Amino acid sequence: MTFDLVSATATDLQVLLARWSAAIAQLMQGKPIGAVAPTQPNAVAPDTGEAYNLGPSSLTVTLGLGPGVFDHRFGLADKKPKLLEPLPALPSDQLQKGYTGGDLSLQACADDPQVAYHAIRNLARMGRGTVGTRWTVMGFGRASAGKGQSTPRNLLGFKDGTRNIKEQSDFTDHVWVGDGDVAWMRGGSYQVARKIQMNIEIWDADRVSDQQQVIGRTKNVGAPLSGNAEFDTPNFTAKDAAGDIKIPVTSHIALAAHENNNGVKILRRSYNYTDGISQFGQLDAGLLFIAYMDTPQSFIQLQEKLGSSDLLNEYIGHIGSGIFAIPPAPAQGHYLGEALFG
């Protein structure tokens, strides 16, 4: 969920971040943020109760600070991350105002969607008077494969995230912000969130052989079209018996590969979503694309290329967008974004 700041007082923002941090710590332990059933009969419950006794369910909550936090309102211009700017217009953008922008963002992830929903609902409730809700997406599915798990699939039916960042050296080189940015961002990251609508029913009517050419991988195994197993390294110059390139140069994996983008990598943490039925009577669903990187230029470079040439563009449209600075996790006894007010 993203939010607009409706208060122009720096103290209100500071207090909200401190209260959110304390509440998040409670929620991540599976505890309510206050009484679910107050002893006073006329009292309003601090916690809405729908996750009571469900446990922590591996809940994590990530706070994002949008460019608007660092405008004239709060006196924080000198703390603005060097690379935090609204994203430029990008190819394949079909952005809708109702799914774009935001001063703050909260991302809650949990093994139980009711636990994640409860966290966002209660944090949004705590923010009333300081923030107003802007847009939200409820995602489902796994964002990546854990130990012993297979790579998750998106709603196109293909494995999604086979070549995602896994090595610690890649996190250091491509995800975590280093010494070149403002001090409070060191160890944090930049987050890009995109709501990508898929033309599900058109895709489903296409033959699988064409789908595989679009993606550049086999649908069942997830192998690159130049190989046999999912984790085979794609060979983007391999040709078949007829002399044709096995992985089309405008396939999704060819355009996104770090080998073809001067080594650029991003950490993808994306989820499927569905919003029921569209105004045209078709399935309204797609991908909540969330990515983390040490510079937003990494996403911009990839999306300019993908948006211009990707065969997948026939079946998708980017309808929502936001960019946020993600502060590092606070030390015990401190709160998210505390260094902004020092």
Side-chain angles (χ1 to χ4, degrees):
M1 178 175 284
T2 70
F3 304 84
D4 290 324
L5 283 156
V6 295
S7 168
T9 304
T11 302
D12 286 346
L13 173 60
Q14 183 178 13
V15 169
L16 176 63
L17 296 182
R19 293 184 66 215
W20 269 357
S21 299
I24 289 167
Q26 290 285 102
L27 293 165
M28 288 176 60
Q29 297 176 62
K31 299 177 181 178
I33 59 172
V36 172
T39 55
Q40 296 297 321
N42 295 323
V44 175
D47 188 288
T48 53
E50 72 272 19
Y52 193 59
N53 289 335
L54 290 182
S57 294
S58 305
L59 175 71
T60 62
V61 180
T62 303
L63 169 76
L65 306 169
V69 170
F70 304 94
D71 63 17
H72 65 280
R73 292 174 291 173
F74 307 105
L76 298 175
D78 61 330
K79 302 289 181 67
K80 182 178 181 180
K82 293 181 179 179
L83 305 177
L84 186 63
E85 298 289 347
L87 294 173
L90 294 166
S92 86
D93 275 359
Q94 300 172 27
L95 301 183
Q96 300 175 11
K97 186 177 181 180
Y99 292 117
T100 303
D103 291 331
L104 299 173
S105 73
L106 291 171
Q107 178 192 357
C109 305
D111 295 334
D112 185 335
Q114 188 149 322
V115 171
Y117 179 82
H118 169 262
I120 292 296
R121 175 184 179 183
N122 282 267
L123 293 169
R125 191 171 178 234
M126 289 176 64
R128 288 176 185 165
T130 303
V131 293
T133 56
R134 187 175 179 92
W135 58 281
T136 188
V137 181
M138 185 76 172
F140 61 91
R142 286 187 287 108
S144 61
K147 186 177 181 179
Q149 295 177 326
S150 61
T151 306
R153 294 180 184 269
N154 57 38
L155 296 184
L156 301 179
F158 281 76
K159 292 190 174 185
D160 197 333
T162 296
R163 305 192 78 197
N164 208 1
I165 287 177
K166 297 181 177 71
E167 300 299 325
Q168 188 58 49
S169 59
D170 280 337
F171 279 88
T172 300
D173 294 341
H174 300 282
V175 180
W176 306 130
V177 172
D179 295 337
D181 213 317
V182 289
W184 68 267
M185 270 288 285
R186 291 169 192 162
S189 191
Y190 289 93
Q191 179 198 69
V192 171
R194 305 279 281 187
K195 185 176 184 181
I196 303 174
Q197 190 175 55
M198 295 175 173
N199 299 320
I200 295 285
E201 298 189 32
I202 296 174
W203 174 263
D204 290 346
D206 197 5
R207 61 187 185 275
V208 172
S209 58
D210 187 52
Q211 292 180 352
Q212 294 182 156
Q213 291 287 303
V214 169
I215 301 298
R217 291 186 177 275
T218 60
K219 192 168 188 176
N220 52 355
V221 176
L225 298 183
S226 60
N228 300 302
E230 179 186 356
F231 295 102
D232 287 349
T233 300
N235 182 342
F236 297 109
T237 61
K239 296 183 178 181
D240 59 22
D244 296 321
I245 296 290
K246 289 185 176 181
I247 302 176
V249 295
T250 52
S251 67
H252 188 71
I253 71 164
L255 291 171
H258 61 268
E259 294 95 335
N260 300 329
N261 289 283
N262 298 316
V264 166
K265 297 181 181 181
I266 59 177
L267 175 66
R268 302 175 76 263
R269 297 286 297 170
S270 298
Y271 298 85
N272 301 315
Y273 79 84
T274 178
D275 285 340
I277 305 299
S278 74
Q279 59 179 318
F280 306 109
Q282 296 185 326
L283 295 173
D284 188 352
L287 190 73
L288 173 58
F289 175 92
I290 302 175
Y292 296 89
M293 62 221 73
D294 61 352
T295 167
Q297 186 57 40
S298 295
F299 171 78
I300 294 169
Q301 177 181 328
L302 292 173
Q303 187 53 34
E304 284 180 339
K305 193 172 184 180
L306 288 164
S308 297
S309 306
D310 194 354
L311 292 171
L312 190 57
N313 291 335
E314 182 179 351
Y315 305 96
I316 65 172
H318 290 233
I319 63 172
S321 181
I323 182 170
F324 303 93
I326 308 299
Q332 188 170 358
H334 297 267
Y335 60 90
L336 289 161
E338 183 175 353
L340 289 173
F341 306 97

